[in-house]
Amino acid sequence: MTERASLHHGDCLGAEAAAQEYAEFLSKFEAKKTTDDCFTPPAVFAAVHQWVAAEYGLQGRRIVRPFHPEGDFVAFEYQPGDVVLDNPPFSIITKIRRFYDESGIDYFLFAPSLTLFDTRAPTMLVVDETVEYANGAKVATSFITSLEPHTRVRTAPALAQALRDARPSKAALPKYVYPDNVRNAALLKRVSSVDFSIPANECEFISALDSQRDAGKAIFGGGVIMSAAKAAELKAAELRAAVESTEWELSQRERGIIERLNAKQALASESVAQAGLFSEVAAHV
């Protein structure tokens, strides 16, 4: 019996077990795209390097890249003043961050956007631009750094734009807006989280609108045209689907944290105001 045939053996398997067995079979044929094997495209690295050098004034400091196949970032021969600018294995990024912080080595590292705050880095730059790496993996990418320790979290619009500019240019896909009475499956996904149905006597299948045919276009995947009543019901369903979310509340302890932070900010503002007043008095003496 071949391996593929064995997947159909044993009709008593539960649905979940059968699905898992088939998924494991298929995974043997997939090219692995892990975040630890993401080699940075040269154009992306050059864009980040240019932004970092200008933002932090790194002229004269050596930029090093210790993360490469078979490389050992701990054993790498760092020199005083080095700045690590690289894309490390995301699975151990917190371990890497701790090593550099404890060793007093400056760094600016690519980091996964979704788990960015788990790194607890001195500064976390929320950029969240999808980078397509050399192995084909597409990862929402942000950054962590030791180069501005007084800032905990920040955005970097210019860096995000630099990453967008570094992407290979692709032909822009046309964007279509359909009448409320017309939807295809892709558009109906918007209401997949709420109950909605269209009776057979309130819709008809269509492959294209007449105005599309005149332009040589069609509805991708086909669509349906529905009654005005169903279109209005769909509009309400789309609004319900858009607002369905869970709102978490602050605890008393967390409100205390906010009050403490407010007090710190107020004290800092008062100190700045007093310093300005003393300067004015001194100027008139």
Side-chain angles (χ1 to χ4, degrees):
M1 179 182 294
T2 65
E3 184 178 17
R4 185 175 181 85
S6 70
L7 292 174
H8 303 284
H9 179 67
D11 294 336
C12 62
L13 283 175
E16 184 175 346
Q20 178 63 29
E21 183 183 7
Y22 187 62
E24 290 172 357
F25 167 74
L26 291 180
S27 69
K28 297 178 181 180
F29 304 97
E30 294 177 354
K32 303 302 179 185
K33 296 182 179 181
T34 72
T35 54
D36 284 2
D37 297 318
C38 292
F39 305 116
T40 312
V44 171
F45 180 82
V48 176
H49 184 294
Q50 184 176 7
W51 184 88
V52 171
E55 182 75 6
Y56 299 110
L58 301 184
Q59 292 76 12
R61 298 183 67 176
R62 191 175 73 141
I63 304 297
V64 297
R65 301 187 68 181
F67 298 100
H68 52 83
E70 309 303 326
D72 185 345
F73 74 95
V74 174
F76 187 87
E77 295 183 2
Y78 300 97
Q79 298 176 10
D82 280 352
V83 177
V84 179
L85 174 53
D86 211 345
N87 180 22
F90 288 171
S91 65
I92 57 169
I93 191 169
T94 301
K95 174 184 176 182
I96 293 166
R97 189 272 302 165
R98 287 179 182 144
F99 170 77
Y100 286 139
D101 285 341
E102 292 168 1
S103 303
I105 299 171
D106 277 330
Y107 57 86
F108 191 95
L109 301 175
F110 289 62
S113 292
L114 292 178
T115 55
L116 182 65
F117 286 3
D118 284 342
T119 65
R120 302 295 178 95
T123 304
M124 293 161 284
L125 289 85
V126 181
V127 176
D128 197 30
E129 282 297 317
T130 298
V131 175
E132 182 171 355
Y133 293 94
N135 68 346
K138 297 180 180 180
V139 184
T141 302
S142 290
F143 300 87
I144 63 174
T145 185
S146 63
L147 294 171
E148 49 178 312
H150 297 299
T151 302
R152 183 68 71 236
V153 180
R154 63 167 289 196
T155 59
L159 177 55
Q161 185 61 54
L163 289 175
R164 288 192 289 272
D165 292 342
R167 292 177 188 159
S169 58
K170 295 182 180 179
L173 295 175
K175 294 183 178 180
Y176 299 136
V177 177
Y178 287 97
D180 291 343
N181 301 75
V182 176
R183 289 293 183 268
N184 62 1
L187 292 173
L188 282 172
K189 287 194 303 183
R190 298 174 182 173
V191 297
S192 60
S193 62
V194 300
D195 285 328
F196 175 75
S197 63
I198 309 175
N201 64 350
E202 290 195 58
C203 68
E204 292 183 12
F205 289 112
I206 56 172
S207 58
L209 295 170
D210 291 342
S211 57
Q212 286 183 304
R213 289 193 177 91
D214 294 340
K217 304 295 183 180
I219 299 173
F220 184 79
V224 292
I225 185 168
M226 68 193 82
S227 67
K230 274 297 161 183
E233 187 179 331
L234 174 59
K235 203 74 173 177
E238 288 174 343
L239 291 174
R240 288 202 310 276
V243 300
E244 281 193 348
S245 59
T246 300
E247 182 176 354
W248 301 105
E249 296 184 356
L250 292 169
S251 67
Q252 192 62 37
R253 181 187 67 84
E254 291 158 341
R255 290 191 179 93
I257 293 174
I258 294 173
E259 290 176 4
R260 173 162 47 83
L261 294 173
N262 291 344
K264 284 184 179 180
Q265 193 276 333
L267 184 60
S269 298
E270 184 179 349
S271 297
V272 170
Q274 289 179 348
L277 178 61
F278 291 150
S279 298
E280 291 180 8
V281 171
H284 290 84
V285 172

